[in-house]
Structures are given as structure tokens and as C-alpha cells.
Amino acid sequence: MQGVKASLEGEYAYVPGVAGDGIRFDGYTTSMTTPWQDADEGLSNGFTVQAWVALNTYPWNRVPIVDQEIDDQQGFFFGLDAFGHLAFDASIDGQWQALTSTTTLPLKRWARVTGTYRTAGGEGVLAIYIDGKPAGQLAVHGQLLTAQTDLLIGRVREAMLPFPDAAAKPQYPIWYSLDGILAGVALDGKPGSAAEIASSYAAVHPAAGDVLPWPKLPEGPTDPGRFGAYYATLHYQKSWDRLRRIGPDSDVVVRFDESPIRLVFWQGTNYIPAWVTENDKWYTDEFVETWDKGCPAGGDCEPMSDKQSRYSHVNIVESNRARVVVHWRYADAEVEHLLGAWPNPRTGWFQWIDEYWTVYPDGVAIRKQVLHATDTSRPHEWQETIVLHQPGSRPEDDINFDAITLENMRGQTKTYTWRPRPYGLLHTPYGPPGGITGPPSPNIQLVNMKSQWKPFQIHSEEEASADIYNNELTYFSFLCWNHWPVAQIASSDRPCVAADRASHSSLSHLYWKPYFQDKHTEVKLLMDGLTTKTPAELLPLAKSWLSPAALTVEGAGYHSEGYDPTQRDYVLTRTDPAAPARFTLEATDASPVVDPAILIRNWGEGDASLKVNGRAIPWSEQDRAGHIEHLDRTDLVIWLQTGSTQPLLIEVNPAKQ
């Protein structure tokens, strides 16, 4: 085609091509259209279609490079399938003939793709070429039945289910485009020979290596930094960022000064919090989810489905040297129309959740989940063990096969192991059965990711149980889906077909008794974080939170409010502005002290000095204090990096000016 007019729509960018400019298609909205009259090259007597393409990801299902067909009944299709195979289909005497390459196109690199239709005396051949070399051919009998429809480049002609169709949930067709660069698209009304196609490819020298970068899930600075929570603007990939309608400082990152880890609340995960290890592996413990009758049209109602973060948002409540508190609020919504779960017929309010993350410098957080619902007795899921994968990474790159270790408060453990399986077969993983076989009442979990810092969870041992999540279809050794994170398609279940996109794997569920529950509110607590400790070394930490040492106040001027597990701290109220605080943590083997925090309400704005067992302790990275400003008072929070099974006498005095 020479000198024809075409319309370019959606989000796109002009970028360097192989010879001249190329167009960066964004994977969702970009399309180019040419009226069929302008594209008519007498195709029924044979033609050649070709293009240079650099794929960023493989398509959600078949996507055209060049498409001039009607309902797979007339015309032709030249494009890619979900695995990156080159496809060339045509209507020959009204019969749809399909040719697909056995090899796939590379990601991020230039490839020359060509299709030819040759016919003579009613006998013809469809042929495809990749980088000038034959990649398949199909003998056909009859003549091409052309289609009087516009030529469509780089976008589906109608919404399609994500592949594999039967496994996609819910069954919502989606609109999408090619994700990558197209350049040198040409349609010629005569069929090129194999020699001409090879010669044409050899005459051009595209840039070698990757011409599109592998994006990374953004976690902010990767080195240790001053402990605290920070608003940030986290970028993923230009083509993806352009689709968003979110302003600067929309994300929150918690940094740690004693370890190279982060806790990230990012719009690309719909603000679902994720721990990031020292080698950029991501982990999350899910959210509150409901399904089936509680979700409009069935399916899953969850913040994963809130692709535009209409309901999900995050803010920093507290950030000082001793601790951080981040508030994440979201609604349970379905993925197509963003309707909320279990709406109240009288008020219209549907299901909302507040999560408060109280985070300390040791990389340990208390996750307080507060569900607001019409009826909390309906089924909900509160935790799922989820590993996120960077684009280009398979689940096996991030998870060891001995993936899950469960432990109870008696120190009994059991490790659950998956087995490798060949890629290419859609099947359930070769892993442990769905039920668990021990230990009894497991309330501690360690996730064996391929990192030094590993995720762990601790919860109440009351009604504690777990299961292994291993019963859905996957192409990998672990379950793998890429409808989340980052993806902008209306889907809550799309199995990964390749390691091309950001994706996630689920391994287990944990269950335990609520901290509080009435008809409209339910609260659960989870200790959560990253650690370098073994399961045995996590046991004292669990004891210190679940059966904390008693606190005894000496003298007047302070009142003990006891231990608050929702914040992992001891709480004192100051009643005499001039009095020092003197109290003992009655640590024992059964109730040890591990990195304790003390909150003193009504402390005021003055600084404090610290003594432990009569010895003056300077404020440092190991022992910290911070002020918390409220509307009507100022509190003091202290965090001590220490462990003991013996009583600790602690004195907090107003600092001398």
C-alpha cells in the first residue's frame, strides 16, 4: 500500500523503527484503520503481507498485525496467537483455512514476519516466514474470498475471551491491542517468492538485542534508607503509565534503615500491600474477599478487580523513628462494572474494609483488618499466600519447591513441597494435596522464596488451620495468573501462558478466629513481615505477641492500659505531667519480650531519656523514640531492639533541657 490514508487511535507513541519510525502500541487501546477501498490491492490473485514487530508481551488471545476479515468467513487474518506463534488465515472458497508457525516470536526484539498467498489454476499456497526463513505453509484449493471491510492493524476487531478461554473467569470478552512496536507494515498485491523474502530481510539490519526494556515492579530506592513511610510516584512503563488517571505522590513506600527491604502500596497492585525482598521479589497476604452470591453476577469481589483504584486508596497515619502506621481502605467489587459486594438494600452501602498496618523497624507489621458489612456471618477469605513475579520471571524463579513451612506454638513443623513439571501442559501442579497433614493448629507460616529475607505470618492459635492452594490449572510448576498485578483487563482468573507479564502465584490459605466480631463488623489480626529467622526462631516472636509479658507499673503518675495486640505495644497513660515512667516487663520463657514497643499517651511534646535495668540507654538504631501528634494530645512511642526471658525494668524520664 502506497499513499493510503489511515486513522491512528488510542494511546500510542512514535518510536524508532527498523528503517524510519515505528508505532508503540500499548496493548489495550491502540489501533490503525484503513478504509477497505484504499486497501484493495486485488488480493484474490495473490498477495504478500509483512511487518517488523518487536513484542513487549504476548497477546491476551489472537491479535492481528493486519486483519481484513469478516467473522472468519471472508478475507484474511495475519497476526499472533497467545503464545506468540505467527498465524496466517484466509477464506478460500468460503472455507476458513488456518496456518500457524511452530516457533514463537521473541519478546523485546525485532522480528520480520511475512505471509504470502499464491494461487494458480485453483491451486494455492499460504506460506509464512519469520526473519526471512520459512515457518510454515499450507496447500489450499480455490480462490481467496475477499472481504469488503476496513483494514485493521494491531487491535482485535471484536472483544474476545482471554486465552485459555475455558479457564478464564469470569467469562467476559475483553478489548485489547498488540503490545509492542510495529514498523514497516506493507500489503502488496503480488505474492513474493521465498528467495525474494529472504533477500529483502538480509538487506535490512535491525538493531540487535532488546529494543524494549523489561519493566520492573517499582519499589522505590533499593538501598536501606531512613525508616519511615513516604509518599511517592512510582513508574512502571511509559505505555502503561499513560493509561492511568492518577496524579503524583499517589503511592506509599515504607523504607527500613537496618535492612534492604520495603513495604509498597502501589497503584499497579491496586494498593494491595506488598513486601519486597533484598533481591526485588514481591509478596502479599491478599485482602478480604467474597464470592458467588455475595458478588454481583457471581465471581470474585475483591480489590484486585478494582483496576482503576476507584475504591482503593492509601494514606500515612503515622511515621516517626520508632514506627509507621499506614491506612489502606478498599471495597470488595467485581471486575466488569465495579459493583460492590453484598449491598445493603436500604442504604446502598456495600462491603468496605479498613486495614491498618503498624510497622516497626525490624520488618514486622501488625495487620489489623476491619470488615464493614451488612452481615459478617457470610463467607469471606482473609488471607492467601501470594508471590508476585516480575515480567520475565517464572514462578520457579522466585519460589523454592519446599515452598511452605507451617508451625504451631509447640514448635512442631511440617514443610510442604511441590515438584517440577514440564512446561506446555495446562494442568494442576505436581504439589501437595489441598488439605494439610500437620502440624495440629498451625498458626505460624514461613514462605520459602528464593531470597534471604522471607515472608512470614503469625496469627492466633484459636481455630487455627490452613490449606494448600493447588487445585487450578497452570502451565507452570506452581499456580500462575497474570490478570493481576498491572493488567487492565476485566478478569479475575487468567492463567499465565508465558513469563512475559507481571504475574502472581498462590500457595496456601490461613484461617483463625476473629479478634472481634458482631453483626456488622469483623476484625482480624495478622503479624506479617519479612525475616531471616528460621521457624524455630520465630516462635519467641509469636509468644511475645500472643502471650505477652505482664507489665507492672511502679509509683504514681501512670496508668497501664495493658498490651494492645492490634499495635504490638504496651500502652500507658500519663496522668502526672511531671512524673517519670517506671515499669517492669515481667518476661518469662512462656511470655518472652522480643523487640517491645511502648506507647505513652499524653506524654506531650518534650523529649525523653531511657534506662533499662538501671543503665542509661542512648537513642540509636536499636532503641528509638518518636512523637505522635493527635488533635488533642501528643503521645510518645518507644521501640527497643532487645529480647529477654527475664524481667526488664524500664524507666522513661523527661529529657533535661
Side-chain angles (χ1 to χ4, degrees):
M1 296 181 295
Q2 295 289 335
V4 301
K5 293 182 179 180
S7 60
L8 186 58
E9 298 179 349
E11 296 291 335
Y12 58 88
Y14 291 104
V15 297
V18 175
D21 286 339
I23 297 173
R24 176 64 164 95
F25 285 63
D26 69 0
Y28 297 101
T29 68
T30 322
S31 66
M32 180 179 286
T33 306
T34 297
W36 72 269
Q37 297 93 337
D38 295 341
D40 188 359
E41 293 277 354
L43 305 182
S44 60
N45 296 316
F47 66 93
T48 299
V49 58
Q50 54 189 343
W52 287 98
V53 58
L55 288 178
N56 185 52
T57 63
Y58 295 123
W60 296 110
N61 206 323
R62 285 164 56 95
V63 70
I65 297 171
V66 178
D67 176 357
Q68 193 178 35
E69 56 84 21
I70 299 176
D71 299 331
D72 290 352
Q73 298 294 319
Q74 302 173 47
F76 75 94
F77 170 94
F78 180 66
L80 303 167
D81 71 9
F83 294 91
H85 298 108
L86 184 61
F88 187 29
D89 305 346
S91 177
I92 308 297
D93 279 357
Q95 297 294 316
W96 195 250
Q97 304 289 338
L99 172 62
T100 303
S101 68
T102 56
T103 58
T104 61
L105 267 62
L107 291 171
K108 314 296 183 182
R109 302 186 175 200
W110 285 117
R112 180 66 160 174
V113 292
T114 306
T116 64
Y117 166 60
R118 182 181 302 276
T119 184
E123 299 299 319
V125 174
L126 296 175
I128 50 179
Y129 303 81
I130 298 176
D131 290 342
K133 299 177 181 179
Q137 69 175 30
L138 176 67
V140 294
H141 306 280
Q143 193 171 40
L144 175 71
L145 178 60
T146 58
Q148 294 185 358
T149 187
D150 293 346
L151 194 82
L152 182 62
I153 296 173
R155 193 166 197 252
V156 292
R157 194 172 289 275
E158 59 184 24
M160 299 180 65
L161 285 173
F163 179 89
D165 307 25
K169 300 175 188 174
Q171 292 280 293
Y172 293 152
I174 61 171
W175 290 95
Y176 58 94
S177 302
L178 182 139
D179 181 13
I181 306 172
L182 280 182
V185 178
L187 180 62
D188 188 352
K190 60 180 181 179
S193 67
E196 290 171 333
I197 291 167
S199 176
S200 174
Y201 173 76
V204 181
H205 302 285
D210 291 350
V211 295
L212 286 168
W214 285 95
K216 284 185 58 179
L217 302 176
E219 74 276 11
T222 57
D223 56 325
R226 182 179 176 87
F227 173 72
Y230 301 90
Y231 287 107
T233 305
L234 300 177
H235 296 287
Y236 178 63
Q237 192 172 46
K238 287 182 180 179
S239 59
W240 186 87
D241 292 344
R242 278 197 298 268
L243 295 171
R244 311 296 290 173
R245 296 292 184 267
I246 297 180
D249 294 328
S250 57
D251 310 302
V252 170
V253 177
V254 180
R255 297 185 73 183
F256 298 85
D257 47 18
E258 293 292 283
S259 58
I261 64 175
R262 279 83 65 207
L263 175 61
V264 178
F265 300 76
W266 175 48
Q267 56 173 293
T269 62
N270 314 102
Y271 297 116
I272 297 167
W275 291 97
V276 185
T277 68
E278 82 288 345
N279 56 348
D280 298 327
K281 300 188 186 300
W282 287 48
Y283 175 85
T284 184
D285 274 302
E286 204 202 17
F287 32 77
V288 177
E289 175 186 352
T290 191
W291 54 91
D292 292 342
K293 293 181 180 179
C295 194
D300 303 307
C301 278
E302 54 190 354
M304 261 187 196
S305 298
D306 187 7
K307 304 292 185 176
Q308 296 180 3
S309 297
R310 296 188 186 185
Y311 304 122
S312 183
H313 62 268
V314 63
N315 63 282
I316 300 170
V317 176
E318 176 187 326
S319 181
N320 56 58
R321 290 288 295 142
R323 79 174 185 188
V324 158
V325 179
V326 179
H327 174 210
W328 173 40
R329 180 171 169 81
Y330 58 95
D332 278 339
E334 52 82 37
V335 73
E336 187 178 36
H337 303 294
L338 295 181
L339 301 175
W342 294 113
N344 186 306
R346 295 179 179 270
T347 67
W349 277 87
F350 42 84
Q351 200 156 272
W352 286 83
I353 300 93
D354 289 295
E355 295 204 12
Y356 299 90
W357 287 68
T358 302
V359 190
Y360 290 96
D362 55 358
V364 176
I366 301 301
R367 179 190 194 185
K368 179 182 178 183
Q369 298 170 277
V370 184
L371 167 65
H372 309 284
T374 304
D375 184 355
T376 61
S377 68
R378 291 164 174 162
H380 297 89
E381 191 172 88
W382 294 76
Q383 190 278 344
E384 187 172 302
T385 303
I386 301 176
V387 178
L388 284 71
H389 311 296
Q390 301 278 2
S393 293
R394 296 185 174 198
E396 297 88 333
D397 298 327
D398 296 329
I399 310 168
N400 285 296
F401 284 106
D402 52 343
I404 294 293
T405 296
L406 297 176
E407 182 178 19
N408 61 21
M409 295 303 289
R410 296 186 293 279
Q412 298 170 317
T413 65
K414 183 175 177 63
T415 296
Y416 291 83
T417 302
W418 280 247
R419 291 179 291 126
R421 55 177 288 256
Y423 170 73
L425 176 67
L426 189 62
H427 196 272
T428 55
Y430 298 162
I436 65 165
T437 55
S441 300
N443 68 315
I444 302 171
Q445 178 178 259
L446 188 66
V447 184
N448 191 16
M449 290 172 59
K450 292 184 175 181
S451 55
Q452 179 184 2
W453 289 80
K454 302 182 188 301
F456 76 96
Q457 301 76 39
I458 299 172
H459 56 75
S460 169
E461 61 181 327
E462 292 187 76
E463 302 177 12
S465 65
D467 65 32
I468 299 300
Y469 194 176
N470 205 31
N471 60 345
E472 297 198 38
L473 300 176
T474 182
Y475 284 101
F476 296 94
S477 296
F478 295 93
L479 296 176
C480 183
W481 301 271
N482 57 17
H483 62 273
W484 179 89
V486 175
Q488 298 297 290
I489 62 171
S491 174
S492 60
D493 192 338
R494 196 268 182 167
C496 307
V497 301
D500 55 340
R501 303 174 182 269
S503 61
H504 69 280
S505 296
S506 295
L507 300 172
S508 68
H509 297 99
L510 304 177
Y511 309 96
W512 67 100
K513 185 177 180 180
Y515 178 72
F516 170 84
Q517 184 174 13
D518 62 18
K519 182 175 177 59
H520 301 303
T521 305
E522 184 172 0
V523 180
K524 284 203 172 188
L525 305 181
L526 183 70
M527 178 177 276
D528 187 74
L530 294 175
T531 186
T532 58
K533 295 180 178 180
T534 65
E537 292 169 332
L538 286 172
L539 194 55
L541 177 63
K543 291 179 179 179
S544 74
W545 181 53
L546 297 174
S547 55
L551 182 147
T552 304
V553 177
E554 299 182 15
Y558 290 84
H559 173 71
S560 173
E561 307 289 346
Y563 187 78
D564 183 0
T566 71
Q567 301 182 88
R568 189 192 168 199
D569 62 11
Y570 294 90
V571 182
L572 299 172
T573 298
R574 190 180 192 182
T575 57
D576 182 350
R582 183 180 173 89
F583 54 92
T584 300
L585 300 181
E586 306 287 356
T588 65
D589 288 337
S591 298
V593 166
V594 178
D595 297 347
I598 301 99
L599 178 69
I600 303 178
R601 294 176 175 165
N602 297 324
W603 175 266
E605 297 181 358
D607 292 334
S609 63
L610 174 70
K611 288 184 179 180
V612 177
N613 290 338
R615 183 169 65 89
I617 303 295
W619 300 117
S620 64
E621 302 303 318
Q622 287 72 43
D623 303 290
R624 311 176 184 214
H627 289 85
I628 307 169
E629 302 287 344
H630 296 279
L631 184 62
D632 58 350
R633 70 178 195 274
T634 300
D635 298 340
L636 179 73
V637 61
I638 295 170
W639 179 78
L640 308 178
Q641 192 174 47
T642 187
S644 179
T645 56
Q646 301 296 320
L648 293 177
L649 174 62
I650 298 174
E651 299 177 65
V652 184
N653 292 279
K656 295 180 180 180
Q657 303 299 320

